[in-house]
Amino acid sequence: MKHIVLVESYPIVRAGIAMLITESMSETYQIHTADSIEKPFPKDPDIIILSVNADAIAELGKKITLSKIRCSKSKLIVFCENMTYTDISNLIASGVSGFVSKRSEFEQLTTCIREIEIREYFFCTELIGLIISRFVSPQNAILPEKRHKLSSREIEIASYLVKGMKTSDIAVQLDRKPTTVSTIKNNIFKKMNVNNVMALNEVMTKLHL
């Protein structure tokens, strides 16, 4: 029996993730949970999952360092919202093996757990799209200011998108038709030369929007 440690600060979220992993992988893995990487858990687990909210990604470096000190042989998975290409690059350098967005289907996390046992790295489908878009359109990272021609309304909707809001929710928020918001979203992607919300978030961060 292999061991997984799930680190998540919110009890309800932690219990939910643990339950879903247990339901699909109980024959192979035993899961232990902790609300902090500093808390006691079994020595040298096979995998440590660091579940992090978007506003706490800056703290990941410290958590990864502590994980490596405590469990140098454990594989690390980051389960997080709104990772950018730069975040991924830095995390790879820090020793992280698995990358799964919380916006992905949950099966992506269980697939990651299985895959990093036999592969060096695993990226969920959404993050693969982000990485590919970086290389397909390298000019995106060089001169983002030349693409910035968004209206105030487009900037407002873009900010809602990178916060994780759905088109239907944004429509309610702005008292607009969902089709109108969807059209504006497509225009934003076209103007910013991106094809997903993760890439949009990275560009907006660079433009300080």
Side-chain angles (χ1 to χ4, degrees):
M1 181 72 70
K2 296 183 178 181
H3 295 271
I4 296 174
V5 169
L6 168 66
V7 180
E8 162 61 59
S9 58
Y10 292 97
I12 295 177
V13 177
R14 185 168 65 246
I17 296 172
M19 180 184 69
L20 290 170
I21 293 175
T22 300
E23 286 179 352
S24 59
M25 312 184 79
S26 60
E27 295 182 1
T28 310
Y29 295 94
Q30 182 176 355
I31 187 163
H32 309 269
T33 63
D35 62 3
S36 169
I37 194 66
E38 291 91 350
K39 296 296 178 66
F41 53 74
K43 183 179 180 181
D44 291 328
D46 297 278
I47 295 171
I48 298 175
I49 302 174
L50 299 175
S51 177
V52 184
N53 296 317
D55 58 355
I57 195 166
E59 302 174 8
L60 259 178
K62 178 182 178 182
K63 292 183 178 181
I64 291 169
T65 300
L66 288 172
S67 300
K68 286 297 183 181
I69 291 173
R70 293 189 61 185
C71 312
S72 59
K73 297 181 181 179
S74 302
K75 292 286 188 76
L76 295 180
I77 295 174
V78 170
F79 187 41
C80 183
E81 298 176 272
N82 294 338
M83 277 186 280
T84 66
Y85 178 85
T86 301
D87 292 329
I88 294 171
S89 299
N90 291 337
L91 293 172
I92 289 174
S94 299
V96 176
S97 298
F99 301 82
V100 182
S101 168
K102 288 187 176 181
R103 297 178 182 177
S104 302
E105 296 291 332
F106 190 78
E107 288 76 10
Q108 291 277 301
L109 180 59
T110 54
T111 300
C112 179
I113 292 170
R114 295 188 181 97
E115 289 293 315
I116 64 170
E117 291 279 10
I118 57 176
R119 298 182 183 180
E120 188 172 3
Y121 298 107
F122 176 89
F123 303 91
C124 71
T125 304
E126 182 176 344
L127 296 182
I128 288 175
L130 171 63
I131 294 168
I132 291 174
S133 68
R134 176 79 174 208
F135 288 97
V136 170
S137 302
Q139 68 273 19
N140 289 1
I142 299 172
L143 295 173
E145 67 278 1
K146 290 188 176 181
R147 301 189 314 279
H148 175 37
K149 299 178 181 178
L150 300 184
S151 66
S152 58
R153 174 63 78 185
E154 287 170 335
I155 291 174
E156 182 180 18
I157 290 177
S159 68
Y160 287 136
L161 289 170
V162 299
K163 289 177 182 177
M165 291 181 66
K166 298 179 180 178
T167 301
S168 56
D169 296 329
I170 297 173
V172 173
Q173 178 77 17
L174 300 178
D175 193 24
R176 294 288 187 273
K177 293 180 180 179
T179 52
T180 300
V181 175
S182 181
T183 298
I184 295 174
K185 174 184 174 181
N186 291 335
N187 289 338
I188 292 169
F189 279 17
K190 184 176 180 180
K191 287 183 178 182
M192 303 303 275
N193 199 17
V194 298
N195 54 20
N196 58 63
V197 173
M198 296 293 289
L200 176 64
N201 180 60
E202 183 175 2
V203 172
M204 291 187 67
T205 299
K206 290 178 179 178
L207 294 174
H208 304 291
L209 296 177

